[in-house]
Amino acid sequence: MSSFRKQNIVAIDGPAGAGKSTVARLVAKRLKYFYIDTGAMYRALTLKALQEGIDFKDEKALEKVSASTAIQLHKDRNGNLRVFLDGNDVTERIRDKDVNLHISLLSKVKAVRNNMVARQRNMGKKGRVVLEGRDIGTVVFPQARYKFYLDADFHERVKRRYREFILKGKRISLSAVKRDLLRRDRSDKLRKIAPLKKASDAVYIDTTNLGIEEVVEIILNYVKANTHQR
Ligand code: DC
């Protein structure tokens, strides 16, 4: 990969609730890069499998879905990312409980991941992108110049997710959010293929006691400080 490309890729990984999405979106805005939410891609695919009534234990069927589904990410007028599944806007729908419940079963399938990784590499190949997910610095773009791993105390992550649901007017209990995060943490970190882990050359940021803007500044300062050095 050319040094030009390396220079223009920001990889942000970490567990759910560490603040990745908001931070990645704001970093992309400030750098005038395109923001790619890879979790939204796995979510859209999970929704499609649910709509098709696919058995989530049937890996062949999940592979087929991944190969035949159009997923697009577009910025809307306000600069927010909208997710399209086969041409339909599913931005809000992919955050629902049924998607959360099934996503781990889909995202552990090797053929599905290969398909997603190929799409993500293609979307990012021209550079000037911020990609956010679980395996960006380790698998999708291990040669990205800027790599960050965002983490936070488990209870803080639960609180953040809970607040997000409530702000969106969704009815959910704190214990349900806790159960979902525990389950996803476990499957994200323990799955055989592309498990969530910090790339050895990623900058670790504990966001437990930091505000969004503070995390954004840390990342932007790091990018600025390292831009002309190599
Ligand atoms: O970032 P998120 O919480 O929207 O991601 C939802 C799920 O998608 C996450 O629990 C695991 C999966 N995922 C993945 O396996 N690899 C990625 N690069 C991004 C998300």
Side-chain angles (χ1 to χ4, degrees), residues 162-184:
Y162 178 69
R163 228 179 287 137
E164 272 170 35
F165 279 119
I166 298 302
L167 280 176
K168 282 183 192 157
K170 295 203 170 147
R171 284 162 62 109
I172 192 162
S173 68
L174 196 65
S175 57
V177 176
K178 195 170 168 180
R179 266 199 310 276
D180 175 50
L181 278 202
L182 257 184
R183 195 172 30 82
R184 284 205 290 137

mmCIF file with all atom_site columns, all heavy atoms in Angstrom, residues 162-184:
data_model
loop_
_atom_site.group_PDB
_atom_site.id
_atom_site.type_symbol
_atom_site.label_atom_id
_atom_site.label_alt_id
_atom_site.label_comp_id
_atom_site.label_asym_id
_atom_site.label_entity_id
_atom_site.label_seq_id
_atom_site.pdbx_PDB_ins_code
_atom_site.Cartn_x
_atom_site.Cartn_y
_atom_site.Cartn_z
_atom_site.occupancy
_atom_site.B_iso_or_equiv
_atom_site.pdbx_formal_charge
_atom_site.auth_seq_id
_atom_site.auth_comp_id
_atom_site.auth_asym_id
_atom_site.auth_atom_id
_atom_site.pdbx_PDB_model_num
ATOM 1   N N   . TYR A 1 162 ? -27.102 3.189   27.986 1.00 0.00 ? 162 TYR A N   1
ATOM 2   C CA  . TYR A 1 162 ? -28.433 3.354   28.564 1.00 0.00 ? 162 TYR A CA  1
ATOM 3   C C   . TYR A 1 162 ? -28.948 4.765   28.260 1.00 0.00 ? 162 TYR A C   1
ATOM 4   O O   . TYR A 1 162 ? -30.072 4.956   27.793 1.00 0.00 ? 162 TYR A O   1
ATOM 5   C CB  . TYR A 1 162 ? -28.368 3.092   30.071 1.00 0.00 ? 162 TYR A CB  1
ATOM 6   C CG  . TYR A 1 162 ? -29.686 3.285   30.774 1.00 0.00 ? 162 TYR A CG  1
ATOM 7   C CD1 . TYR A 1 162 ? -30.741 2.396   30.555 1.00 0.00 ? 162 TYR A CD1 1
ATOM 8   C CD2 . TYR A 1 162 ? -29.887 4.351   31.651 1.00 0.00 ? 162 TYR A CD2 1
ATOM 9   C CE1 . TYR A 1 162 ? -31.960 2.570   31.192 1.00 0.00 ? 162 TYR A CE1 1
ATOM 10  C CE2 . TYR A 1 162 ? -31.101 4.532   32.288 1.00 0.00 ? 162 TYR A CE2 1
ATOM 11  C CZ  . TYR A 1 162 ? -32.129 3.633   32.054 1.00 0.00 ? 162 TYR A CZ  1
ATOM 12  O OH  . TYR A 1 162 ? -33.334 3.815   32.675 1.00 0.00 ? 162 TYR A OH  1
ATOM 13  N N   . ARG A 1 163 ? -28.078 5.741   28.496 1.00 0.00 ? 163 ARG A N   1
ATOM 14  C CA  . ARG A 1 163 ? -28.447 7.143   28.248 1.00 0.00 ? 163 ARG A CA  1
ATOM 15  C C   . ARG A 1 163 ? -28.820 7.351   26.776 1.00 0.00 ? 163 ARG A C   1
ATOM 16  O O   . ARG A 1 163 ? -29.789 8.021   26.454 1.00 0.00 ? 163 ARG A O   1
ATOM 17  C CB  . ARG A 1 163 ? -27.274 8.054   28.621 1.00 0.00 ? 163 ARG A CB  1
ATOM 18  C CG  . ARG A 1 163 ? -27.668 9.232   29.498 1.00 0.00 ? 163 ARG A CG  1
ATOM 19  C CD  . ARG A 1 163 ? -26.465 10.086  29.857 1.00 0.00 ? 163 ARG A CD  1
ATOM 20  N NE  . ARG A 1 163 ? -25.589 9.479   30.831 1.00 0.00 ? 163 ARG A NE  1
ATOM 21  C CZ  . ARG A 1 163 ? -24.242 9.474   30.762 1.00 0.00 ? 163 ARG A CZ  1
ATOM 22  N NH1 . ARG A 1 163 ? -23.608 10.028  29.749 1.00 0.00 ? 163 ARG A NH1 1
ATOM 23  N NH2 . ARG A 1 163 ? -23.521 8.926   31.709 1.00 0.00 ? 163 ARG A NH2 1
ATOM 24  N N   . GLU A 1 164 ? -28.042 6.745   25.884 1.00 0.00 ? 164 GLU A N   1
ATOM 25  C CA  . GLU A 1 164 ? -28.329 6.864   24.444 1.00 0.00 ? 164 GLU A CA  1
ATOM 26  C C   . GLU A 1 164 ? -29.735 6.355   24.115 1.00 0.00 ? 164 GLU A C   1
ATOM 27  O O   . GLU A 1 164 ? -30.484 7.001   23.392 1.00 0.00 ? 164 GLU A O   1
ATOM 28  C CB  . GLU A 1 164 ? -27.336 6.012   23.642 1.00 0.00 ? 164 GLU A CB  1
ATOM 29  C CG  . GLU A 1 164 ? -26.047 6.722   23.261 1.00 0.00 ? 164 GLU A CG  1
ATOM 30  C CD  . GLU A 1 164 ? -25.040 5.729   22.679 1.00 0.00 ? 164 GLU A CD  1
ATOM 31  O OE1 . GLU A 1 164 ? -25.457 4.768   21.990 1.00 0.00 ? 164 GLU A OE1 1
ATOM 32  O OE2 . GLU A 1 164 ? -23.845 5.904   22.952 1.00 0.00 ? 164 GLU A OE2 1
ATOM 33  N N   . PHE A 1 165 ? -30.077 5.181   24.654 1.00 0.00 ? 165 PHE A N   1
ATOM 34  C CA  . PHE A 1 165 ? -31.409 4.596   24.405 1.00 0.00 ? 165 PHE A CA  1
ATOM 35  C C   . PHE A 1 165 ? -32.500 5.520   24.932 1.00 0.00 ? 165 PHE A C   1
ATOM 36  O O   . PHE A 1 165 ? -33.491 5.793   24.246 1.00 0.00 ? 165 PHE A O   1
ATOM 37  C CB  . PHE A 1 165 ? -31.533 3.228   25.091 1.00 0.00 ? 165 PHE A CB  1
ATOM 38  C CG  . PHE A 1 165 ? -30.916 2.093   24.316 1.00 0.00 ? 165 PHE A CG  1
ATOM 39  C CD1 . PHE A 1 165 ? -29.874 1.344   24.838 1.00 0.00 ? 165 PHE A CD1 1
ATOM 40  C CD2 . PHE A 1 165 ? -31.388 1.760   23.043 1.00 0.00 ? 165 PHE A CD2 1
ATOM 41  C CE1 . PHE A 1 165 ? -29.303 0.291   24.126 1.00 0.00 ? 165 PHE A CE1 1
ATOM 42  C CE2 . PHE A 1 165 ? -30.835 0.710   22.320 1.00 0.00 ? 165 PHE A CE2 1
ATOM 43  C CZ  . PHE A 1 165 ? -29.786 -0.026  22.868 1.00 0.00 ? 165 PHE A CZ  1
ATOM 44  N N   . ILE A 1 166 ? -32.317 6.007   26.157 1.00 0.00 ? 166 ILE A N   1
ATOM 45  C CA  . ILE A 1 166 ? -33.339 6.850   26.785 1.00 0.00 ? 166 ILE A CA  1
ATOM 46  C C   . ILE A 1 166 ? -33.513 8.151   25.981 1.00 0.00 ? 166 ILE A C   1
ATOM 47  O O   . ILE A 1 166 ? -34.634 8.589   25.706 1.00 0.00 ? 166 ILE A O   1
ATOM 48  C CB  . ILE A 1 166 ? -32.968 7.152   28.261 1.00 0.00 ? 166 ILE A CB  1
ATOM 49  C CG1 . ILE A 1 166 ? -32.902 5.851   29.057 1.00 0.00 ? 166 ILE A CG1 1
ATOM 50  C CG2 . ILE A 1 166 ? -33.929 8.146   28.910 1.00 0.00 ? 166 ILE A CG2 1
ATOM 51  C CD1 . ILE A 1 166 ? -34.180 5.014   29.062 1.00 0.00 ? 166 ILE A CD1 1
ATOM 52  N N   . LEU A 1 167 ? -32.388 8.736   25.570 1.00 0.00 ? 167 LEU A N   1
ATOM 53  C CA  . LEU A 1 167 ? -32.459 9.977   24.786 1.00 0.00 ? 167 LEU A CA  1
ATOM 54  C C   . LEU A 1 167 ? -33.209 9.781   23.477 1.00 0.00 ? 167 LEU A C   1
ATOM 55  O O   . LEU A 1 167 ? -33.855 10.682  22.961 1.00 0.00 ? 167 LEU A O   1
ATOM 56  C CB  . LEU A 1 167 ? -31.052 10.513  24.498 1.00 0.00 ? 167 LEU A CB  1
ATOM 57  C CG  . LEU A 1 167 ? -30.386 11.273  25.642 1.00 0.00 ? 167 LEU A CG  1
ATOM 58  C CD1 . LEU A 1 167 ? -28.967 11.658  25.288 1.00 0.00 ? 167 LEU A CD1 1
ATOM 59  C CD2 . LEU A 1 167 ? -31.194 12.537  25.998 1.00 0.00 ? 167 LEU A CD2 1
ATOM 60  N N   . LYS A 1 168 ? -33.116 8.565   22.930 1.00 0.00 ? 168 LYS A N   1
ATOM 61  C CA  . LYS A 1 168 ? -33.824 8.264   21.679 1.00 0.00 ? 168 LYS A CA  1
ATOM 62  C C   . LYS A 1 168 ? -35.275 7.865   21.939 1.00 0.00 ? 168 LYS A C   1
ATOM 63  O O   . LYS A 1 168 ? -35.996 7.474   21.028 1.00 0.00 ? 168 LYS A O   1
ATOM 64  C CB  . LYS A 1 168 ? -33.113 7.135   20.942 1.00 0.00 ? 168 LYS A CB  1
ATOM 65  C CG  . LYS A 1 168 ? -31.858 7.603   20.212 1.00 0.00 ? 168 LYS A CG  1
ATOM 66  C CD  . LYS A 1 168 ? -31.243 6.450   19.453 1.00 0.00 ? 168 LYS A CD  1
ATOM 67  C CE  . LYS A 1 168 ? -29.861 6.798   18.960 1.00 0.00 ? 168 LYS A CE  1
ATOM 68  N NZ  . LYS A 1 168 ? -29.046 5.593   18.729 1.00 0.00 ? 168 LYS A NZ  1
ATOM 69  N N   . GLY A 1 169 ? -35.667 7.892   23.212 1.00 0.00 ? 169 GLY A N   1
ATOM 70  C CA  . GLY A 1 169 ? -37.054 7.571   23.551 1.00 0.00 ? 169 GLY A CA  1
ATOM 71  C C   . GLY A 1 169 ? -37.329 6.080   23.584 1.00 0.00 ? 169 GLY A C   1
ATOM 72  O O   . GLY A 1 169 ? -38.486 5.657   23.512 1.00 0.00 ? 169 GLY A O   1
ATOM 73  N N   . LYS A 1 170 ? -36.265 5.262   23.677 1.00 0.00 ? 170 LYS A N   1
ATOM 74  C CA  . LYS A 1 170 ? -36.481 3.808   23.703 1.00 0.00 ? 170 LYS A CA  1
ATOM 75  C C   . LYS A 1 170 ? -36.623 3.327   25.131 1.00 0.00 ? 170 LYS A C   1
ATOM 76  O O   . LYS A 1 170 ? -35.946 3.814   26.028 1.00 0.00 ? 170 LYS A O   1
ATOM 77  C CB  . LYS A 1 170 ? -35.321 3.099   23.027 1.00 0.00 ? 170 LYS A CB  1
ATOM 78  C CG  . LYS A 1 170 ? -35.256 3.442   21.566 1.00 0.00 ? 170 LYS A CG  1
ATOM 79  C CD  . LYS A 1 170 ? -34.541 2.402   20.759 1.00 0.00 ? 170 LYS A CD  1
ATOM 80  C CE  . LYS A 1 170 ? -34.743 2.707   19.292 1.00 0.00 ? 170 LYS A CE  1
ATOM 81  N NZ  . LYS A 1 170 ? -33.658 2.351   18.459 1.00 0.00 ? 170 LYS A NZ  1
ATOM 82  N N   . ARG A 1 171 ? -37.537 2.375   25.332 1.00 0.00 ? 171 ARG A N   1
ATOM 83  C CA  . ARG A 1 171 ? -37.741 1.836   26.686 1.00 0.00 ? 171 ARG A CA  1
ATOM 84  C C   . ARG A 1 171 ? -36.871 0.610   26.875 1.00 0.00 ? 171 ARG A C   1
ATOM 85  O O   . ARG A 1 171 ? -37.008 -0.378  26.166 1.00 0.00 ? 171 ARG A O   1
ATOM 86  C CB  . ARG A 1 171 ? -39.214 1.455   26.857 1.00 0.00 ? 171 ARG A CB  1
ATOM 87  C CG  . ARG A 1 171 ? -40.095 2.664   27.066 1.00 0.00 ? 171 ARG A CG  1
ATOM 88  C CD  . ARG A 1 171 ? -41.510 2.261   26.782 1.00 0.00 ? 171 ARG A CD  1
ATOM 89  N NE  . ARG A 1 171 ? -41.905 1.204   27.732 1.00 0.00 ? 171 ARG A NE  1
ATOM 90  C CZ  . ARG A 1 171 ? -42.771 1.388   28.712 1.00 0.00 ? 171 ARG A CZ  1
ATOM 91  N NH1 . ARG A 1 171 ? -43.328 2.561   28.867 1.00 0.00 ? 171 ARG A NH1 1
ATOM 92  N NH2 . ARG A 1 171 ? -43.094 0.414   29.522 1.00 0.00 ? 171 ARG A NH2 1
ATOM 93  N N   . ILE A 1 172 ? -35.949 0.702   27.803 1.00 0.00 ? 172 ILE A N   1
ATOM 94  C CA  . ILE A 1 172 ? -35.067 -0.428  28.078 1.00 0.00 ? 172 ILE A CA  1
ATOM 95  C C   . ILE A 1 172 ? -34.573 -0.305  29.519 1.00 0.00 ? 172 ILE A C   1
ATOM 96  O O   . ILE A 1 172 ? -34.467 0.812   30.042 1.00 0.00 ? 172 ILE A O   1
ATOM 97  C CB  . ILE A 1 172 ? -33.883 -0.460  27.070 1.00 0.00 ? 172 ILE A CB  1
ATOM 98  C CG1 . ILE A 1 172 ? -33.132 -1.788  27.159 1.00 0.00 ? 172 ILE A CG1 1
ATOM 99  C CG2 . ILE A 1 172 ? -32.931 0.718   27.268 1.00 0.00 ? 172 ILE A CG2 1
ATOM 100 C CD1 . ILE A 1 172 ? -32.251 -2.084  25.956 1.00 0.00 ? 172 ILE A CD1 1
ATOM 101 N N   . SER A 1 173 ? -34.314 -1.424  30.170 1.00 0.00 ? 173 SER A N   1
ATOM 102 C CA  . SER A 1 173 ? -33.827 -1.346  31.557 1.00 0.00 ? 173 SER A CA  1
ATOM 103 C C   . SER A 1 173 ? -32.303 -1.334  31.562 1.00 0.00 ? 173 SER A C   1
ATOM 104 O O   . SER A 1 173 ? -31.656 -1.821  30.628 1.00 0.00 ? 173 SER A O   1
ATOM 105 C CB  . SER A 1 173 ? -34.334 -2.540  32.359 1.00 0.00 ? 173 SER A CB  1
ATOM 106 O OG  . SER A 1 173 ? -33.714 -3.716  31.889 1.00 0.00 ? 173 SER A OG  1
ATOM 107 N N   . LEU A 1 174 ? -31.758 -0.796  32.641 1.00 0.00 ? 174 LEU A N   1
ATOM 108 C CA  . LEU A 1 174 ? -30.305 -0.744  32.797 1.00 0.00 ? 174 LEU A CA  1
ATOM 109 C C   . LEU A 1 174 ? -29.727 -2.164  32.776 1.00 0.00 ? 174 LEU A C   1
ATOM 110 O O   . LEU A 1 174 ? -28.679 -2.423  32.162 1.00 0.00 ? 174 LEU A O   1
ATOM 111 C CB  . LEU A 1 174 ? -29.965 -0.036  34.116 1.00 0.00 ? 174 LEU A CB  1
ATOM 112 C CG  . LEU A 1 174 ? -28.527 0.443   34.288 1.00 0.00 ? 174 LEU A CG  1
ATOM 113 C CD1 . LEU A 1 174 ? -28.184 1.523   33.277 1.00 0.00 ? 174 LEU A CD1 1
ATOM 114 C CD2 . LEU A 1 174 ? -28.309 0.973   35.705 1.00 0.00 ? 174 LEU A CD2 1
ATOM 115 N N   . SER A 1 175 ? -30.449 -3.095  33.388 1.00 0.00 ? 175 SER A N   1
ATOM 116 C CA  . SER A 1 175 ? -29.916 -4.466  33.443 1.00 0.00 ? 175 SER A CA  1
ATOM 117 C C   . SER A 1 175 ? -29.922 -5.118  32.052 1.00 0.00 ? 175 SER A C   1
ATOM 118 O O   . SER A 1 175 ? -29.048 -5.934  31.743 1.00 0.00 ? 175 SER A O   1
ATOM 119 C CB  . SER A 1 175 ? -30.675 -5.315  34.462 1.00 0.00 ? 175 SER A CB  1
ATOM 120 O OG  . SER A 1 175 ? -32.026 -5.322  34.143 1.00 0.00 ? 175 SER A OG  1
ATOM 121 N N   . ALA A 1 176 ? -30.882 -4.736  31.203 1.00 0.00 ? 176 ALA A N   1
ATOM 122 C CA  . ALA A 1 176 ? -30.896 -5.299  29.835 1.00 0.00 ? 176 ALA A CA  1
ATOM 123 C C   . ALA A 1 176 ? -29.700 -4.768  29.045 1.00 0.00 ? 176 ALA A C   1
ATOM 124 O O   . ALA A 1 176 ? -29.064 -5.511  28.271 1.00 0.00 ? 176 ALA A O   1
ATOM 125 C CB  . ALA A 1 176 ? -32.206 -4.940  29.129 1.00 0.00 ? 176 ALA A CB  1
ATOM 126 N N   . VAL A 1 177 ? -29.380 -3.491  29.234 1.00 0.00 ? 177 VAL A N   1
ATOM 127 C CA  . VAL A 1 177 ? -28.228 -2.905  28.547 1.00 0.00 ? 177 VAL A CA  1
ATOM 128 C C   . VAL A 1 177 ? -26.948 -3.604  29.019 1.00 0.00 ? 177 VAL A C   1
ATOM 129 O O   . VAL A 1 177 ? -26.068 -3.953  28.233 1.00 0.00 ? 177 VAL A O   1
ATOM 130 C CB  . VAL A 1 177 ? -28.135 -1.381  28.804 1.00 0.00 ? 177 VAL A CB  1
ATOM 131 C CG1 . VAL A 1 177 ? -26.886 -0.788  28.180 1.00 0.00 ? 177 VAL A CG1 1
ATOM 132 C CG2 . VAL A 1 177 ? -29.368 -0.674  28.270 1.00 0.00 ? 177 VAL A CG2 1
ATOM 133 N N   . LYS A 1 178 ? -26.890 -3.834  30.325 1.00 0.00 ? 178 LYS A N   1
ATOM 134 C CA  . LYS A 1 178 ? -25.727 -4.477  30.920 1.00 0.00 ? 178 LYS A CA  1
ATOM 135 C C   . LYS A 1 178 ? -25.539 -5.887  30.336 1.00 0.00 ? 178 LYS A C   1
ATOM 136 O O   . LYS A 1 178 ? -24.438 -6.263  29.943 1.00 0.00 ? 178 LYS A O   1
ATOM 137 C CB  . LYS A 1 178 ? -25.960 -4.563  32.431 1.00 0.00 ? 178 LYS A CB  1
ATOM 138 C CG  . LYS A 1 178 ? -24.743 -4.869  33.236 1.00 0.00 ? 178 LYS A CG  1
ATOM 139 C CD  . LYS A 1 178 ? -25.081 -4.672  34.696 1.00 0.00 ? 178 LYS A CD  1
ATOM 140 C CE  . LYS A 1 178 ? -24.002 -5.248  35.572 1.00 0.00 ? 178 LYS A CE  1
ATOM 141 N NZ  . LYS A 1 178 ? -24.301 -5.068  36.985 1.00 0.00 ? 178 LYS A NZ  1
ATOM 142 N N   . ARG A 1 179 ? -26.632 -6.615  30.261 1.00 0.00 ? 179 ARG A N   1
ATOM 143 C CA  . ARG A 1 179 ? -26.573 -7.988  29.707 1.00 0.00 ? 179 ARG A CA  1
ATOM 144 C C   . ARG A 1 179 ? -26.088 -7.970  28.267 1.00 0.00 ? 179 ARG A C   1
ATOM 145 O O   . ARG A 1 179 ? -25.250 -8.758  27.858 1.00 0.00 ? 179 ARG A O   1
ATOM 146 C CB  . ARG A 1 179 ? -27.971 -8.621  29.749 1.00 0.00 ? 179 ARG A CB  1
ATOM 147 C CG  . ARG A 1 179 ? -28.242 -9.445  30.977 1.00 0.00 ? 179 ARG A CG  1
ATOM 148 C CD  . ARG A 1 179 ? -29.406 -10.400 30.751 1.00 0.00 ? 179 ARG A CD  1
ATOM 149 N NE  . ARG A 1 179 ? -30.597 -9.748  30.207 1.00 0.00 ? 179 ARG A NE  1
ATOM 150 C CZ  . ARG A 1 179 ? -31.514 -9.119  30.939 1.00 0.00 ? 179 ARG A CZ  1
ATOM 151 N NH1 . ARG A 1 179 ? -31.385 -9.030  32.242 1.00 0.00 ? 179 ARG A NH1 1
ATOM 152 N NH2 . ARG A 1 179 ? -32.573 -8.553  30.365 1.00 0.00 ? 179 ARG A NH2 1
ATOM 153 N N   . ASP A 1 180 ? -26.615 -7.019  27.475 1.00 0.00 ? 180 ASP A N   1
ATOM 154 C CA  . ASP A 1 180 ? -26.246 -6.933  26.055 1.00 0.00 ? 180 ASP A CA  1
ATOM 155 C C   . ASP A 1 180 ? -24.758 -6.627  25.895 1.00 0.00 ? 180 ASP A C   1
ATOM 156 O O   . ASP A 1 180 ? -24.062 -7.254  25.099 1.00 0.00 ? 180 ASP A O   1
ATOM 157 C CB  . ASP A 1 180 ? -27.101 -5.867  25.354 1.00 0.00 ? 180 ASP A CB  1
ATOM 158 C CG  . ASP A 1 180 ? -26.673 -5.666  23.910 1.00 0.00 ? 180 ASP A CG  1
ATOM 159 O OD1 . ASP A 1 180 ? -26.542 -6.676  23.189 1.00 0.00 ? 180 ASP A OD1 1
ATOM 160 O OD2 . ASP A 1 180 ? -26.445 -4.513  23.499 1.00 0.00 ? 180 ASP A OD2 1
ATOM 161 N N   . LEU A 1 181 ? -24.271 -5.670  26.685 1.00 0.00 ? 181 LEU A N   1
ATOM 162 C CA  . LEU A 1 181 ? -22.847 -5.309  26.570 1.00 0.00 ? 181 LEU A CA  1
ATOM 163 C C   . LEU A 1 181 ? -21.940 -6.461  27.014 1.00 0.00 ? 181 LEU A C   1
ATOM 164 O O   . LEU A 1 181 ? -20.925 -6.735  26.369 1.00 0.00 ? 181 LEU A O   1
ATOM 165 C CB  . LEU A 1 181 ? -22.520 -4.068  27.399 1.00 0.00 ? 181 LEU A CB  1
ATOM 166 C CG  . LEU A 1 181 ? -22.820 -2.703  26.788 1.00 0.00 ? 181 LEU A CG  1
ATOM 167 C CD1 . LEU A 1 181 ? -21.981 -1.621  27.448 1.00 0.00 ? 181 LEU A CD1 1
ATOM 168 C CD2 . LEU A 1 181 ? -22.567 -2.663  25.300 1.00 0.00 ? 181 LEU A CD2 1
ATOM 169 N N   . LEU A 1 182 ? -22.335 -7.135  28.084 1.00 0.00 ? 182 LEU A N   1
ATOM 170 C CA  . LEU A 1 182 ? -21.536 -8.270  28.582 1.00 0.00 ? 182 LEU A CA  1
ATOM 171 C C   . LEU A 1 182 ? -21.415 -9.338  27.505 1.00 0.00 ? 182 LEU A C   1
ATOM 172 O O   . LEU A 1 182 ? -20.334 -9.848  27.222 1.00 0.00 ? 182 LEU A O   1
ATOM 173 C CB  . LEU A 1 182 ? -22.241 -8.897  29.786 1.00 0.00 ? 182 LEU A CB  1
ATOM 174 C CG  . LEU A 1 182 ? -21.693 -8.593  31.167 1.00 0.00 ? 182 LEU A CG  1
ATOM 175 C CD1 . LEU A 1 182 ? -22.470 -9.387  32.210 1.00 0.00 ? 182 LEU A CD1 1
ATOM 176 C CD2 . LEU A 1 182 ? -20.211 -8.941  31.274 1.00 0.00 ? 182 LEU A CD2 1
ATOM 177 N N   . ARG A 1 183 ? -22.564 -9.646  26.900 1.00 0.00 ? 183 ARG A N   1
ATOM 178 C CA  . ARG A 1 183 ? -22.607 -10.687 25.874 1.00 0.00 ? 183 ARG A CA  1
ATOM 179 C C   . ARG A 1 183 ? -21.770 -10.282 24.666 1.00 0.00 ? 183 ARG A C   1
ATOM 180 O O   . ARG A 1 183 ? -20.978 -11.058 24.135 1.00 0.00 ? 183 ARG A O   1
ATOM 181 C CB  . ARG A 1 183 ? -24.067 -10.920 25.466 1.00 0.00 ? 183 ARG A CB  1
ATOM 182 C CG  . ARG A 1 183 ? -24.304 -12.191 24.695 1.00 0.00 ? 183 ARG A CG  1
ATOM 183 C CD  . ARG A 1 183 ? -25.781 -12.461 24.480 1.00 0.00 ? 183 ARG A CD  1
ATOM 184 N NE  . ARG A 1 183 ? -26.587 -11.239 24.409 1.00 0.00 ? 183 ARG A NE  1
ATOM 185 C CZ  . ARG A 1 183 ? -26.720 -10.492 23.338 1.00 0.00 ? 183 ARG A CZ  1
ATOM 186 N NH1 . ARG A 1 183 ? -26.127 -10.812 22.250 1.00 0.00 ? 183 ARG A NH1 1
ATOM 187 N NH2 . ARG A 1 183 ? -27.446 -9.390  23.354 1.00 0.00 ? 183 ARG A NH2 1
ATOM 188 N N   . ARG A 1 184 ? -21.919 -9.019  24.240 1.00 0.00 ? 184 ARG A N   1
ATOM 189 C CA  . ARG A 1 184 ? -21.175 -8.591  23.047 1.00 0.00 ? 184 ARG A CA  1
ATOM 190 C C   . ARG A 1 184 ? -19.681 -8.443  23.330 1.00 0.00 ? 184 ARG A C   1
ATOM 191 O O   . ARG A 1 184 ? -18.857 -8.787  22.493 1.00 0.00 ? 184 ARG A O   1
ATOM 192 C CB  . ARG A 1 184 ? -21.779 -7.308  22.475 1.00 0.00 ? 184 ARG A CB  1
ATOM 193 C CG  . ARG A 1 184 ? -23.065 -7.630  21.738 1.00 0.00 ? 184 ARG A CG  1
ATOM 194 C CD  . ARG A 1 184 ? -23.409 -6.647  20.695 1.00 0.00 ? 184 ARG A CD  1
ATOM 195 N NE  . ARG A 1 184 ? -23.803 -5.379  21.265 1.00 0.00 ? 184 ARG A NE  1
ATOM 196 C CZ  . ARG A 1 184 ? -23.411 -4.207  20.808 1.00 0.00 ? 184 ARG A CZ  1
ATOM 197 N NH1 . ARG A 1 184 ? -22.592 -4.147  19.785 1.00 0.00 ? 184 ARG A NH1 1
ATOM 198 N NH2 . ARG A 1 184 ? -23.842 -3.106  21.354 1.00 0.00 ? 184 ARG A NH2 1
#
